[in-house]
Amino acid sequence: MKYISTRGNAPAKSFTEILLGGLAPDGGLYLPEKYPLITRAELDVWRTLSYADLAFAVLSKFATDIPAADLKAIVNKTYTAKVYCNGRADSETTQITPLHTLEPGVHILELSNGPTLAFKDMAMQLLGNLFEYALSKQHEELNILGATSGDTGSAAEYAMRGKRGIRVFMLSPNGKMSSFQRAQMYSLQDPNIFNIAINGMFDDAQDMVKAVSNDHAFKAKYEIGTVNSINWARVSAQVIYYFKGYFAATKSNDEQVAFSVPSGNFGNICAGHIARMMGLPIAQLILATNENDVLDEFFRTGAYRPRTTARTYETSSPSMDISKASNFERFVFDLVGRDGAKVREFWNSVETGGAFDIADTPYWLALTKFGFVSGKSTHADRLQTIRKLWQKYGVMVDTHTADGIKVGLEQRRPNLPLICLETALPAKFEETIVEALGRKPERPAAMQGIEDLPQRVEVMDADVAKLKGYIAMECGFGVRRHDAAL
Ligand SMILES: *Cc1c(COP(=O)(O)O)cnc(C)c1O
């Protein structure tokens, strides 16, 4: 399996060749040259597999240059319930991603059983083990640079803490995350973890990461890699749970389903799109946004108009407070018939502060082939959904999952089983849960009182030169200072 760039101007590469990198050299994102098609016979076998075995089956299609025995060991190390699930202590978690049925035909797929209580652990825990494997083969070091609106950062840090040869430099918008999210990240004292709070929004932080990544000399000198949602291995790891969720919610591979996905960077739902392209019977991919509704606007009108940071709202589902959805380009590449020149044209206008609009083009008609529908959810909707689920089913959901459920129930076709992806536990967003329900969500024992722990964070203006200086300094001194730990 080779990977090509969405902008059509980069050489094809293998899975391990793109594992540690981010963007392709032409500025595009990598995608498989062709999606592997899953036969009906394979689906029938996959239906019976455990999470770890299913993960191996799916990833074997993508990571064709990792020897099978090695891949199997990496996958088993990652997706063993005892190792993976410290979020929920109940026995259900032995399934890694248990399906919770609210009523016939309406389900929640629990994806937040990992160490940081968000779905991003599903991919990031695998990435940590893949990185360690690749670096040990090549005797190399890696400095991971990332931007987070909350959950990516903690998932990355918990996946990489203490890993040999790896440092993490994680940018987050100063003061914009929940106090729990801040505590999760900033209280880590591991010497290979560096938290940097940027005076700005998530998009400012993400732009800084892009700027550093585009400085090829700096990137090479300091061995910079990314774990942002554009990382292909992350997307491929997310494909697995669409299969698992489908099998759990259906009795046979003749049935169709709908998935509803709370979306920000389009990474999660992009994996759903890929699962569907591989042949999983998904009739609808329901994209939910919060007040930051750039993606909803696209799927309703055909216009993709990323907002300026001044017009990105701070909401109570902060992990979706994103206006430039970095993975969206992957879908658009498929939408335009894999025409790299067209993608370049569209993103030229996006990157110069503009937009593109497919409403009056043949692509608008093509869009109907891909099963997407969308909707948006506001703070009031979120509170109402959280209350409704608590009163009706005794189930407490977090703010992002609530956005997905609200839009999912609105947009799904009647009689189609609806699988709502749970993207975080309510414990991460305590303030809004208290506002909705007048009570605090439960917290895993290990996370009680983490807000009181000492925090370690560098506050910085959105200044790329300053960031480079900081990385250079920590890499220069860091190796000696933290020699033993690294
Ligand atoms: C990251 C995140 C999302 C958005 O996922 P994308 O892959 O960026 O679309 C939604 N909810 C939560 C809780 C998240 O952490």
Side-chain angles (χ1 to χ4, degrees):
M1 167 75 68
K2 287 280 182 184
Y3 293 85
I4 55 171
S5 165
T6 51
R7 303 217 181 158
N9 272 338
K13 296 241 167 111
S14 74
F15 184 88
T16 54
E17 284 171 328
I18 62 170
L19 175 63
L20 300 176
L23 293 175
D26 62 357
L29 282 72
Y30 288 108
L31 269 181
E33 214 160 33
K34 271 204 195 96
Y35 293 120
L37 289 179
I38 308 307
T39 63
R40 175 58 194 258
E42 272 176 307
L43 269 188
D44 290 345
V45 173
W46 286 14
R47 179 172 279 278
T48 65
L49 300 180
S50 70
Y51 198 90
D53 290 345
L54 180 64
F56 175 69
V58 172
L59 294 171
S60 298
K61 303 276 179 188
F62 294 121
T64 49
D65 61 338
I66 297 182
D70 292 356
L71 185 62
K72 191 143 189 84
I74 292 166
V75 161
N76 286 341
K77 183 174 165 188
T78 307
Y79 297 118
T80 299
K82 242 170 93 182
V83 177
Y84 187 82
C85 304
N86 68 1
R88 287 174 187 168
D90 56 22
S91 58
E92 265 192 336
T93 55
T94 53
Q95 298 170 53
I96 310 278
T97 59
L99 187 82
H100 187 99
T101 299
L102 296 177
E103 59 182 65
V106 182
H107 315 273
I108 294 180
L109 185 65
E110 297 177 2
L111 301 179
S112 314
N113 292 319
T116 73
L117 317 186
F119 87 97
K120 295 201 171 68
D121 291 325
M122 293 297 304
M124 206 68 87
Q125 288 289 311
L126 179 80
L127 210 61
N129 290 328
L130 279 172
F131 278 17
E132 196 173 49
Y133 169 79
L135 290 168
S136 72
K137 290 255 148 186
Q138 297 159 15
H139 307 289
E140 275 176 13
E141 285 202 355
L142 175 69
N143 291 302
I144 291 167
L145 177 62
T148 184
S149 56
D151 297 325
T152 306
S154 51
E157 292 180 355
Y158 282 75
M160 306 295 168
R161 61 189 296 199
K163 288 255 188 291
R164 200 168 284 277
I166 301 179
R167 287 188 199 82
V168 178
F169 294 92
M170 189 54 64
L171 279 53
S172 51
N174 194 12
K176 303 286 194 291
M177 301 185 297
S178 75
S179 51
F180 180 83
Q181 287 178 310
R182 284 200 298 273
Q184 258 190 326
M185 291 177 57
Y186 302 165
S187 68
L188 286 182
Q189 301 295 335
D190 305 69
N192 71 328
I193 304 294
F194 300 92
N195 282 300
I196 306 169
I198 299 299
N199 292 321
M201 296 294 288
F202 166 75
D203 290 303
D204 299 311
Q206 179 156 269
D207 285 345
M208 290 172 78
V209 171
K210 282 192 186 146
V212 172
S213 297
N214 285 335
D215 180 343
H216 298 295
F218 185 89
K219 194 178 163 195
K221 179 165 179 201
Y222 291 101
E223 295 168 297
I224 303 281
T226 60
V227 291
N228 277 354
S229 59
I230 56 167
N231 180 287
W232 167 253
R234 268 186 73 182
V235 176
S236 66
Q238 291 173 177
V239 171
I240 303 160
Y241 54 69
Y242 282 88
F243 281 90
K244 195 71 191 167
Y246 172 80
F247 295 136
T250 57
K251 292 207 164 57
S252 91
N253 296 324
D254 299 322
E255 292 176 54
Q256 299 272 330
V257 298
F259 279 94
S260 86
V261 189
S263 294
N265 256 324
F266 205 81
N268 196 354
I269 203 162
C270 186
H273 160 68
I274 290 163
R276 189 174 177 277
M277 298 299 275
M278 291 167 74
L280 190 66
I282 302 174
Q284 282 187 306
L285 285 165
I286 304 173
L287 180 144
T289 70
N290 62 18
E291 290 87 337
N292 297 294
D293 59 355
V294 175
L295 290 168
D296 177 40
E297 182 180 1
F298 174 79
F299 285 102
R300 278 185 303 102
T301 71
Y304 182 62
R305 293 189 304 133
R307 319 289 193 250
T308 60
T309 45
R311 291 194 50 227
T312 305
Y313 304 107
E314 284 174 44
T315 76
S316 47
S317 43
S319 301
M320 293 154 64
D321 291 352
I322 286 160
S323 72
K324 280 182 216 154
S326 43
N327 273 291
F328 184 54
E329 183 170 333
R330 286 196 160 107
F331 171 67
V332 171
F333 184 58
D334 286 339
L335 176 65
V336 301
R338 303 205 134 198
D339 177 353
K342 199 73 203 169
V343 173
R344 284 204 300 281
E345 181 193 315
F346 284 166
W347 260 266
N348 273 340
S349 67
V350 168
E351 278 158 12
T352 52
F356 64 84
D357 191 343
I358 63 159
D360 297 320
T361 73
Y363 305 130
W364 181 241
L365 203 64
L367 186 59
T368 56
K369 284 191 315 205
F370 292 92
F372 278 87
V373 288
S374 73
K376 95 187 228 189
S377 164
T378 64
H379 182 69
D381 295 325
R382 223 163 280 142
L383 295 181
Q384 201 186 12
T385 304
I386 291 169
R387 280 187 201 119
K388 183 172 107 183
L389 265 90
W390 182 241
Q391 283 157 9
K392 201 165 163 192
Y393 308 106
V395 169
M396 201 186 282
V397 293
D398 96 290
T399 50
H400 307 75
T401 307
D403 288 333
I405 292 170
K406 185 254 176 189
V407 174
L409 289 171
E410 240 168 39
Q411 297 288 338
R412 76 151 163 165
R413 286 210 301 265
N415 302 324
L416 205 55
L418 173 66
I419 304 168
C420 302
L421 298 189
E422 172 207 80
T423 54
L425 289 194
K428 295 199 92 165
F429 304 96
E430 206 167 89
E431 289 89 341
T432 311
I433 300 297
V434 169
E435 187 183 345
L437 303 178
R439 61 185 291 159
K440 283 191 178 183
E442 274 176 38
R443 234 189 231 199
M447 293 177 192
Q448 272 155 28
I450 59 168
E451 287 94 334
D452 303 328
L453 297 173
Q455 299 193 353
R456 198 165 67 92
V457 58
E458 176 87 11
V459 178
M460 195 182 284
D461 287 332
D463 177 337
V464 175
K466 279 213 179 96
L467 175 61
K468 285 182 183 166
Y470 180 80
I471 294 171
M473 183 188 77
E474 289 299 345
C475 289
F477 299 140
V479 174
R480 283 193 296 275
R481 203 168 64 202
H482 304 310
D483 216 11
L486 289 166

